[in-house]
Amino acid sequence: MHSPYKKFYQEIPRILKSGPMAHRSIARELKRILPMYCDDSIPCPHVKDNSGHPEWNHLARSAEQGLKRNGIISYNHGIRKWELA
């Protein structure tokens, strides 16, 4: 089975083909199409305030950053959304 990061990395560009999206919308779509990788009961160990942030959401943000580093997507600060590069 692929890691959640790899699956998110593959799916985010496909999701963004429909147009720019904020992270929250990308995460909602990832959860809809890949529910097996989006377990809300696993807390993110990187968030110290116990605010309920799930680990899968952290991995989705990491995938966005990896895609940005590789020039596949970019963050449009004007509209505050991710888009295909």
Side-chain angles (χ1 to χ4, degrees):
M1 185 152 116
H2 287 24
S3 76
Y5 176 89
K6 286 181 183 176
K7 292 301 286 183
F8 296 160
Y9 189 96
Q10 293 169 346
E11 288 300 321
I12 290 171
R14 291 183 190 133
I15 291 169
L16 291 176
K17 283 182 181 178
S18 65
M21 287 188 182
H23 169 75
R24 185 171 293 182
S25 297
I26 292 170
R28 189 176 319 124
E29 189 65 12
L30 287 170
K31 190 170 185 174
R32 185 185 72 75
I33 61 178
L34 297 169
M36 69 292 283
Y37 295 104
C38 302
D39 186 345
D40 289 332
S41 70
I42 301 171
C44 179
H46 306 96
V47 177
K48 303 297 183 208
D49 64 5
N50 294 324
S51 58
H53 293 282
E55 175 63 5
W56 74 266
N57 198 302
H58 177 88
L59 293 173
R61 286 184 186 275
S62 294
E64 289 167 349
Q65 292 301 320
L67 288 160
K68 178 182 169 184
R69 275 191 303 277
N70 289 315
I72 298 167
I73 68 173
S74 61
Y75 188 75
N76 183 324
H77 291 278
I79 60 173
R80 300 176 67 180
K81 293 182 179 181
W82 290 100
E83 59 191 5
L84 292 173

